[in-house]
Amino acid sequence: MAAAISIREATMADLDTIIDVYLAAFPMDPVWNYVFSNHHQYPEETQRLTRLEYTHYLRKKDKKWRFMVAEMPKKDNKSVKVIAAISLWAFVDKVEDTGDGIDILEVGQDGELDKKHDPLENRLDANPARVKAYISAIAEAENMYHNMPYGENQIRLKLLATHPDYQRQGAASKLLNWGMCLAVANFKYLTVLAGPMGKKLYTKTCFYEQGTVDVQIEGEEEKVTFSAMFCNAI
C-alpha cells in the first residue's frame, strides 16, 4: 500500500528538517559533489551556509518563491508525519536573474539576510575554480535554453531533493505534480537545470531535454554534465 503523501508550504519551523533533508540528499548528486568538493573537510561551513541560504528563502514575503515540502509517515512510527522531500520554485520576473542560488548570504544589521559576498572568496567547502565554472555554465544554459525562448513566461524549479530514507516512494513526484498544477494555473512553462539523478525523474513526467552543458575547468579531466529541460504545462 502506497504511503499517504501530503504537500504544504514550508515555514521557518521546518528549517532544521529542511537542512537535514538537503544535507542527506545532495552529497549523492555528482554535480553538487563536484562543486562542493571540500564539504567533507568543512562540514560546519556547509551546515552554516545552508542554514543561511534557506533561512533567506523561508523569510521571503513575496510570491516569487514557493518553498514546498512533501510529508509522509515516518519509517519507524507511521502515526507521525515527517518531511521527506523539499522543493523550491521561482517565478522568473526578470530574465537577467540567473544563477543557481549558491551565493553567500550574510545577516545584515536589520537581522535580514542579503547576498553580499563573492562565493569564491567565502565558501571553504567549495572548489573556487569549479564554482566559477559552474556559475558561468548555469548562466549560459539558463539564458540560451530558458530565458531567450520563455522570458518571464516560466516557473523555474531551483531545488528538488528527497531524503535517502524516503526515496522512490513518490514524494518528489508529488512535488513535481504540484509544480505542474502551479504552471497550468499561471499559464507558465516549467524549466529546470537537472543533474543526472534529477533527469531520470523529470523525463518520466512532462519534461523534455533541450540540451546538455558540461562543467569543467582547464587542466582537469574530471567534469560533470547537467541537462536543460522544460515542461509545456500550458
Side-chain angles (χ1 to χ4, degrees):
M1 182 177 178
I5 301 170
S6 56
I7 304 297
R8 64 171 174 83
E9 195 134 19
T11 70
M12 282 298 300
D14 301 317
L15 179 60
D16 288 340
T17 307
I18 287 170
I19 293 170
D20 289 343
V21 172
Y22 178 93
L23 294 178
F26 269 88
M28 302 173 68
D29 178 63
V31 178
W32 191 90
N33 272 295
Y34 177 82
V35 176
F36 299 106
S37 55
N38 300 327
H39 71 95
H40 289 300
Q41 294 96 314
Y42 300 99
E44 297 85 1
E45 179 84 342
T46 306
Q47 175 86 18
R48 180 179 72 86
L49 295 175
T50 301
R51 176 172 293 276
L52 284 172
E53 183 169 358
Y54 290 104
T55 299
H56 175 75
Y57 290 128
L58 289 169
R59 281 187 178 177
K60 282 183 174 291
K61 304 301 183 184
D62 60 63
K63 287 298 183 181
K64 175 182 175 180
W65 301 94
R66 301 294 301 274
F67 208 140
M68 308 301 295
V69 298
E71 293 183 312
M72 60 192 303
K74 193 175 182 181
K75 286 184 68 175
D76 55 0
N77 186 352
K78 300 300 183 183
S79 65
V80 176
K81 277 202 164 187
V82 296
I83 293 175
I86 59 177
S87 64
L88 180 63
W89 309 79
F91 283 83
V92 177
D93 57 5
K94 293 182 180 179
V95 294
E96 66 268 20
D97 282 352
T98 57
D100 76 327
I102 61 174
D103 306 78
I104 299 306
L105 303 170
E106 296 293 347
V107 180
Q109 296 193 3
D110 59 356
E112 293 299 313
L113 294 171
D114 298 300
K115 296 181 179 182
K116 287 192 174 183
H117 300 295
D118 187 335
L120 304 183
E121 299 175 357
N122 291 275
R123 293 209 68 144
L124 298 176
D125 58 346
N127 179 305
R130 290 178 177 180
V131 170
K132 186 175 181 179
Y134 180 57
I135 291 175
S136 176
I138 287 284
E140 179 183 351
E142 286 184 344
N143 282 323
M144 178 185 301
Y145 294 109
H146 298 156
N147 293 342
M148 290 180 67
Y150 310 125
E152 298 176 9
N153 194 30
Q154 61 176 305
I155 298 173
R156 184 170 292 151
L157 175 55
K158 304 286 282 187
L159 164 77
L160 180 64
T162 305
H163 192 286
D165 289 345
Y166 300 95
Q167 289 178 355
R168 297 179 180 86
Q169 297 182 50
S173 295
K174 195 87 169 182
L175 286 168
L176 272 180
N177 287 336
W178 180 91
M180 284 185 271
C181 291
L182 180 70
V184 169
N186 288 275
F187 303 99
K188 303 280 188 181
Y189 294 93
L190 287 178
T191 59
V192 65
L193 297 179
M197 294 178 64
K199 179 183 173 182
K200 293 178 182 179
L201 173 62
Y202 303 140
T203 52
K204 293 178 181 178
T205 60
C206 65
F207 283 88
Y208 294 90
E209 185 178 68
Q210 299 162 283
T212 60
V213 178
D214 292 331
V215 183
Q216 186 177 29
I217 61 176
E218 188 175 353
E220 280 191 354
E221 291 186 9
E222 186 179 359
K223 67 177 181 180
V224 291
T225 302
F226 59 86
S227 299
M229 307 184 76
F230 88 106
C231 166
N232 185 359
I234 299 176

